[in-house]
Amino acid sequence: GAVVSQHPSWVICKSGTSVKIECRSLDFQATTMFWYRQFPKQSLMLMATSNEGSKATYEQGVEKDKFLINHASLTLSTLTVTSAHPEDSSFYICSAQREGPEQFFGPGTRLTVL
Amino acid sequence: AQSVAQPEDQVNVAEGNPLTVKCTYSVSGNPYLFWYVQYPNRGLQFLLKYITGDNLVKGSYGFEAEFNKSQTSFHLKKPSALVSDSALYFCAVRALNDYKLSFGAGTTVTVRA
């Protein structure tokens, strides 16, 4: 149990376009979902925290208007990278939390902006 | 503020030898502690956690970790390493009254045949 999926796994887009990444908890309802960004061979940096039906809480330095988060239901959160640029290229990982302190991580999405 | 230190960027061991990956933490109050493993271009896989109770925690794939409150450490161990254990390992901490996980920088483990 506690499986989290992400779609797509890989995405390549042109500079200036927007990209949407989905995060789903497949077999449980998530009280909270988290979005992380990871650069090559580096640790995970928390971008934002979202709860179903409410606005996301963004970490300091993360642009709200650039990284739009929508938590539509207890099993789905989406991250939209708007007007993407090459510096937005990264590995984006989501996680979901139910009761208890543990976070369950998705497989990640590799974004490449040309 | 909470933080995690993984003092070794890389750990190299021979297959069959013991493997230790070090982790120390700083947090206000009692911690929740976690170890995750990451393979290339993949998400994080959960290995084990310390919430409360026994200081020695056993997890997946033969891994274990010992919570040492006085030394604020939570080192990951495996008695006999496998080549397939080669991966990137992350230690993470969370305070009881917080929802955020703080990750260490990661330790790359290489197990040679």
Side-chain angles (χ1 to χ4, degrees), chain B residues 32-109:
Chain B
Y32 293 132
L33 293 158
F34 305 86
W35 275 102
Y36 291 91
V37 61
Q38 185 179 34
Y39 294 94
N41 293 311
R42 305 290 291 275
L44 273 63
Q45 294 180 26
F46 170 78
L47 285 178
L48 51 78
K49 65 184 176 185
Y50 172 81
I51 304 299
T52 186
D54 290 341
N55 290 342
L56 182 63
V57 178
K58 294 187 181 295
S60 307
Y61 313 118
F63 284 94
E64 60 186 31
E66 185 164 11
F67 170 60
N68 188 318
K69 188 172 184 177
S70 63
Q71 297 185 3
T72 61
S73 67
F74 191 56
H75 302 328
L76 180 70
K77 298 182 179 182
K78 185 170 184 178
S80 179
L82 301 172
V83 172
S84 57
D85 294 328
S86 299
L88 181 58
Y89 290 79
F90 289 103
C91 180
V93 68
R94 210 200 92 173
L96 266 64
N97 60 353
D98 198 354
Y99 60 90
K100 296 182 186 179
L101 269 182
S102 295
F103 286 88
T107 298
T108 299
V109 170

Side-chain angles (χ1 to χ4, degrees), chain B residues 11-20 78-86 109-113:
Chain B
V11 170
N12 299 307
V13 298
E15 188 172 35
N17 282 1
L19 169 64
T20 299
K78 185 170 184 178
S80 179
L82 301 172
V83 172
S84 57
D85 294 328
S86 299
V109 170
T110 301
V111 181
R112 60 185 184 277

Side-chain angles (χ1 to χ4, degrees), chain B residues 3-25:
Chain B
S3 64
V4 176
Q6 292 181 241
E8 300 159 317
D9 291 336
Q10 291 197 354
V11 170
N12 299 307
V13 298
E15 188 172 35
N17 282 1
L19 169 64
T20 299
V21 186
K22 295 179 180 178
C23 170
T24 59
Y25 66 90

Side-chain angles (χ1 to χ4, degrees), chain A residues 38 43 59 102-103 107 110, chain B residues 36 38 41 43 49 100 104:
Chain A
Q38 185 183 29
S43 190
E59 294 300 300
E102 190 175 339
Q103 292 183 24
R110 173 75 58 194
Chain B
Y36 291 91
Q38 185 179 34
N41 293 311
K49 65 184 176 185
K100 296 182 186 179

Side-chain angles (χ1 to χ4, degrees), chain A residues 42-88:
Chain A
Q42 292 190 25
S43 190
L44 279 71
M45 300 298 295
L46 180 64
M47 299 175 66
T49 304
S50 72
N51 294 287
E52 184 262 342
S54 61
K55 291 185 178 180
T57 301
Y58 290 81
E59 294 300 300
Q60 191 172 7
V62 177
E63 298 178 58
K64 301 178 183 181
D65 294 333
K66 181 160 193 62
F67 298 100
L68 299 179
I69 292 173
N70 183 21
H71 198 146
S73 73
L74 287 172
T75 60
L76 173 64
S77 177
T78 59
L79 168 68
T80 301
V81 183
T82 61
S83 186
H85 292 283
E87 58 266 29
D88 299 324

